[in-house]
C-alpha cells in the first residue's frame, strides 16, 4: 500500500507523546514506518512554587498536536484521517494528578520536576526497604498527606499524565505497567503493584481516616499488548475538533516516556539499555536480576512488558545548552547575520570536539531545577572557571556537553562499578543526539561504553508508543514484545555505534572528579539566591 492508501483504509497507527517541551504525534504504516507527524510546543509553569501544566494547556496541546498531524496528512497525501487501526498515548512519567468525585482535578498537576517530596520519599523508602524517588506519584501523595492538604480525603482517582489523557479519550482508568511502576513499585511476578507495599502504605495512612485505600484510587495495570479500551464518541470529539475521526478505535495501554524510549531503541530485552537525552535525561538498563540492595540514585521500574529496569533519572540535560545557544543566536541577529538554528547547533556541537578531553579545566552545572542524584532540591545553572583554565569556545561547549550527562554518569557508575551490571547494547535517542556523532561520542566517554544511535532516534517516544499500539493490534504471531521489535520493526538494525577512546574516557573522568568536588559551589548558589 501507498501511505495514502494506508491512511484511507484505516490501517495507519497513531502515537502521541507529551514531552516536557513538545507534544508530538507520529502516524505509522503497516511496516511500522512513520508516514506523517504533528507537534505542539509548550512549557511548564512554576505556580505557587510547583511545576505544573494546566488542564487547559494539556487539552489544547492534545488538540493542536492532532490538528498539526491532520495538516501534514493533507499536505503530503491530500486526504483526511477518518479512522485508524490503533492509538497509543504516552507522556512524561511520574507526578501527581488527583481527581475528585466530579472527575475534576483537585489540585494543579504536579510534574516529575518537583522536588518538594523529600520527607515523604525518605519515609516510604525506609518503610518499603526500596528506593522511592521524589518524583514518584506515591511520594507526592504521601507528602500531601504529611502536609495535611485539604484535598486528600476527596481523592477518587490518582493517575499520571498519560493515564489522564487515555482516560479522557477512552473512559478507561488504566495504565501500562511501565508507567505504573513510576507510581508505586511493581512486582515483576504479578506485574501489578507490589502487594506488600500497598498493605504497608494503607497501614501507615490508616490513622488519618480517609475513605479510600490505595488500590481504590490507582489505575488498573495492563501489560503491553493487552486491550485498553477504545476511542469513545466524546474522546473522538476531544481529540479531533474537526469531527472527522470516528469513534471505536482500539488503544494500547498508556505508557510513560521511559517505556516508549525503550521501545523506540529496541531496548526491552535483558542486557540491553538506552539513554534518553532531551530536557531531562535518563538511562534504562534492563536487568537480568534485581540489584543487591537499594540505591538512592537508582530507580527500579519496568519495561512495558514487566521486566525490571534500573533507571538513573536526571532532571536536567539540554535546557542550559539551549539557553547558551540562544545567546549565540542573539549575537548573530545583532550582527545582522542570518540565523539557522540547525547550523548554529551543528557548528557549536562539532566545535566542542576540538576541545581538550578534560575541557581545559572548565566546568558547568546545568541545574535549571534540582538534582536528587547529587542531593540538591533546587538548582542554579552555573559556568565555573579559574583564571588559569583554557577558556576558549571549544572547551566552553565541551564543558556544557559534559555537564548535560554528568549526573547520568554518577548514577550509572553505581550500576557498572558497584553492581557489575553487564550490558550488550546501549542505544541513545533524543535531542542531544541530533547533531551526528557529537552527543553520542560524549555519552560513550561518560559511560565508558559503546553507544549506538539509530536513524529513527529523532522519532522518539511518539514513535515508541505507536509501535506499542501496533503491537497490540498487529501481533498476529503471538510474539513477546522483545521478539516483535527485533523481527517486525528493527530487523537486526542496531544503528551506528561509536566506541569511546581512552583519551575521552580519561578526560571525562577528570572532569567528573572536579564536578563532584565543586558541588559545594552549586549548593552555595542555591542558598544565596532566592
Amino acid at each position: 500500500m501507498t501511505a495514502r492508501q494506508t491512511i484511507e483504509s484505516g490501517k495507519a497507527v497513531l502515537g502521541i507523546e507529551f514531552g516536557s517541551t513538545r507534544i508530538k504525534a507520529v502516524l505509522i504504516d503497516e511496516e511500522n514506518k512513520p508516514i506523517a507527524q504533528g507537534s505542539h510546543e509548550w512549557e511548564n509553569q512554576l505556580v505557587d512554587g510547583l511545576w505544573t501544566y494546566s488542564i487547559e494547556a494539556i487539552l489544547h496541546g492534545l488538540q493542536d498536536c492532532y490538528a498539526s498531524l491532520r495538516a501534514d496528512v493533507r499536505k503530503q497525501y491530500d486526504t483526511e484521517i477518518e479512522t485508524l487501526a490503533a492509538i497509543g498515548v504516552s507522556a512524561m512519567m511520574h507526578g501527581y494528578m488527583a481527581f475528585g468525585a466530579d472527575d475534576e482535578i483537585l489540585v494543579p498537576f504536579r510534574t516529575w520536576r518537583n522536588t518538594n517530596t523529600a520527607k515523604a520519599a525518605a519515609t516510604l523508602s525506609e518503610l518499603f526497604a526500596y528506593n522511592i524517588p521524589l518524583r514518584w506519584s506515591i511520594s507526592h501523595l504521601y507528602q500531601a498527606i504529611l502536609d495535611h492538604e485539604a484535598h486528600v480525603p476527596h481523592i477518587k482517582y490518582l493517575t499520571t499524565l498519560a493515564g489522564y489523557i487515555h482516560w479522557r479519550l477512552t473512559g478507561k482508568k488504566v495504565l501500562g505497567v511501565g508507567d505504573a511502576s513510576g507510581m508505586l513499585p511493581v512486582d515483576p511476578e504479578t506485574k501489578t503493584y507490589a502487594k506488600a507495599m500497598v498493605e504497608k502504605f494503607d497501614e501507615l495512612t490508616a490513622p488519618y481516616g480517609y475513605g479510600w485505600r490505595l488500590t481504590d484510587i490507582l489505575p488498573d495495570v495492563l501489560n503491553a499488548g493487552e486491550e485498553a479500551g477504545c476511542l469513545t464518541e466524546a474522546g473522538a470529539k476531544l481529540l479531533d475538533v474537526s469531527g472527522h475521526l470516528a469513534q471505536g478505535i482500539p488503544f494500547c495501554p498508556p505508557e510513560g516516556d521511559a517505556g516508549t524510549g525503550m521501545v523506540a531503541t529496541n531496548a526491552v530485552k535483558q542486557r540491553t539499555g538506552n539513554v534518553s537525552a532531551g530536557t531531562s535525561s535518563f538511562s534504562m538498563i534492563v536487568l537480568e536480576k534485581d540489584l543487591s540492595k537499594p540505591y538512592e540514585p537508582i530507580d527500579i521500574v519496568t519495561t512495558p512488558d514487566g521486566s525490571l529496569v534500573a533507571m538513573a533519572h536526571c532532571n536536567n540535560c539540554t535546557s542550559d545548552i539551549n539557553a547558551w545557544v540562544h545567546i549565540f543566536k542573539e549575537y548573530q541577529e545583532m550582527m545582522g547575520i542570518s540565523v539557522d538554528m540547525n547550523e548554529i547547533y551543528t557548528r557549536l556541537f562539532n566545535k566542542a570536539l576540538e576541545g581538550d578531553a578534560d575541557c581545559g579545566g572548565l566546568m558547568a552545572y546545568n541545574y535549571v531545577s534540582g538534582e536528587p542524584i547529587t542531593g540538591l532540591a533546587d538548582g542554579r545553572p552555573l559556568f565555573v572557571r579559574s583564571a588559569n583554565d583554557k577558556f576558549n569556545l571549544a572547551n566552553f561547549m565541551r564543558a556544557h556537553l559534559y555537564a548535560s550527562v554528568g549526573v547520568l554518569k554518577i548514577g550509572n557508575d553505581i550500576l557498572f562499578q558497584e553492581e557489575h551490571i553487564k550490558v550488550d547494547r546501549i542505544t541513545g535517542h533524543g535531542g542531544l543526539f541530533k547533531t551526528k556523532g557529537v552527543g553520542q561520542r560524549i555519552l560513550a566517554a561518560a559511560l565508558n561504553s559503546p553507544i549506538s544511535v539509530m536513524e529513527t532516534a529523532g522519532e522518539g517516544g511518539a514513535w515508541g508508543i505507536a509501535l506499542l499500539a501496533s503491537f497490540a493490534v498487529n501481533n498476529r504471531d503471538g510474539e513477546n514484545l522483545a521478539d516483535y521489535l527485533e523481527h517486525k520493526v528493527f530487523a537486526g538494525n542496531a544503528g551506528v555505534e561509536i566506541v569511546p577512546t581512552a583519551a575521552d574516557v580519561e578526560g571525562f573522568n577528570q572532569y567528573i572528579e572536579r564536578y563532584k568536588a565543586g558541588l559545594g559551589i552549586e549548593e552555595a548558589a542555591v542558598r544565596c539566591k532566592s
Side-chain angles (χ1 to χ4, degrees), residues 86 140 163 184 242 260 277 300 321 336 340 343 356 361 401 459 517:
H140 284 279
L184 181 72
S242 74
T260 58
I300 300 297
I321 292 178
D340 181 331
E343 183 181 12
D356 297 303
L401 284 169
E459 304 298 346

Side-chain angles (χ1 to χ4, degrees), residues 414-435:
I414 294 172
L415 298 177
F416 299 136
Q417 296 179 14
E418 297 186 36
E419 287 284 332
H420 306 290
I421 298 298
K422 303 299 181 185
V423 181
D424 297 326
R425 182 182 72 242
I426 298 178
T427 307
H429 71 116
L432 185 67
F433 305 105
K434 284 185 178 179
T435 301

Side-chain angles (χ1 to χ4, degrees), residues 264-478:
T265 54
N266 193 20
V268 300
K269 188 176 292 186
Q270 291 178 358
R271 291 177 65 107
T272 64
N274 83 92
V275 170
S276 174
T279 304
S280 63
S281 69
F282 49 81
S283 63
M284 311 288 292
I285 307 297
V286 188
L287 302 174
E288 295 179 279
K289 60 184 179 63
D290 205 351
L291 302 182
S292 64
K293 62 180 181 180
Y295 294 91
E296 189 172 345
I298 303 297
D299 311 344
I300 300 297
V301 291
T302 78
T303 63
D305 58 353
S307 294
L308 289 179
V309 177
M311 179 182 191
H313 184 281
C314 312
N315 283 354
N316 304 282
C317 184
T318 59
S319 294
D320 195 35
I321 292 178
N322 294 340
W324 281 107
V325 170
H326 276 82
I327 291 292
F328 289 103
K329 170 180 175 286
E330 285 188 39
Y331 171 78
Q332 286 195 204
E333 291 172 336
M334 181 186 71
M335 297 297 291
I337 303 170
S338 61
V339 172
D340 181 331
M341 290 304 291
N342 287 332
E343 183 181 12
I344 295 175
Y345 274 101
T346 299
R347 286 182 177 269
L348 288 173
F349 273 42
N350 279 291
K351 186 67 177 178
L353 299 184
E354 299 175 16
D356 297 303
D358 68 346
C359 306
L362 309 184
M363 196 163 57
Y365 294 94
N366 63 336
Y367 293 14
V368 174
S369 59
E371 278 293 357
I373 287 180
T374 50
L376 288 161
D378 202 355
R380 301 287 181 266
L382 294 178
F383 173 68
V384 182
R385 69 184 180 98
S386 70
N388 296 323
D389 291 337
K390 296 179 184 177
F391 184 36
N392 56 43
L393 180 59
N395 283 336
F396 176 83
M397 287 304 302
R398 193 171 186 121
H400 280 89
L401 284 169
Y402 277 19
S404 70
V405 294
V407 179
L408 195 69
K409 174 180 174 56
I410 293 171
N412 277 272
D413 280 351
I414 294 172
L415 298 177
F416 299 136
Q417 296 179 14
E418 297 186 36
E419 287 284 332
H420 306 290
I421 298 298
K422 303 299 181 185
V423 181
D424 297 326
R425 182 182 72 242
I426 298 178
T427 307
H429 71 116
L432 185 67
F433 305 105
K434 284 185 178 179
T435 301
K436 188 174 181 180
V438 179
Q440 190 177 357
R441 177 173 161 183
I442 298 298
L443 182 63
L447 301 187
N448 191 18
S449 173
I451 302 295
S452 296
V453 171
M454 301 180 184
E455 289 184 7
T456 51
E459 304 298 346
W463 184 53
I465 190 64
L467 295 178
L468 284 171
S470 176
F471 173 70
V473 296
N474 293 324
N475 183 25
R476 300 180 182 91
D477 297 328

Side-chain angles (χ1 to χ4, degrees), residues 149-170:
E149 293 194 36
H151 76 275
V152 176
H154 306 290
I155 297 174
K156 296 297 182 182
Y157 183 45
L158 178 66
T159 190
T160 65
L161 179 55
Y164 168 69
I165 300 158
H166 184 94
W167 172 38
R168 289 296 304 265
L169 295 177
T170 68

Side-chain angles (χ1 to χ4, degrees), residues 197-228:
M197 297 185 195
V198 169
E199 292 173 348
K200 287 180 179 179
F201 186 87
D202 284 339
E203 184 178 348
L204 176 68
T205 57
Y208 292 92
Y210 300 132
W212 50 262
R213 297 173 72 84
L214 193 53
T215 52
D216 296 334
I217 63 174
L218 292 178
D220 292 333
V221 181
L222 298 177
N223 207 17
E226 290 191 271
E227 181 183 342

Side-chain angles (χ1 to χ4, degrees), residues 177 185-196 221-223 226 306:
V177 63
V186 161
D187 184 332
E189 297 298 322
T190 63
K191 299 188 190 305
T192 189
Y193 307 112
K195 182 179 178 182
V221 181
L222 298 177
N223 207 17
E226 290 191 271

Side-chain angles (χ1 to χ4, degrees), residues 4 27 80 84 107 172 211 249 311 402 466 498 515:
R4 177 172 176 167
L27 202 64
E80 182 61 69
L84 296 159
V107 289
K172 298 292 185 180
I249 300 167
M311 179 182 191
Y402 277 19
I498 286 183
Y515 181 100

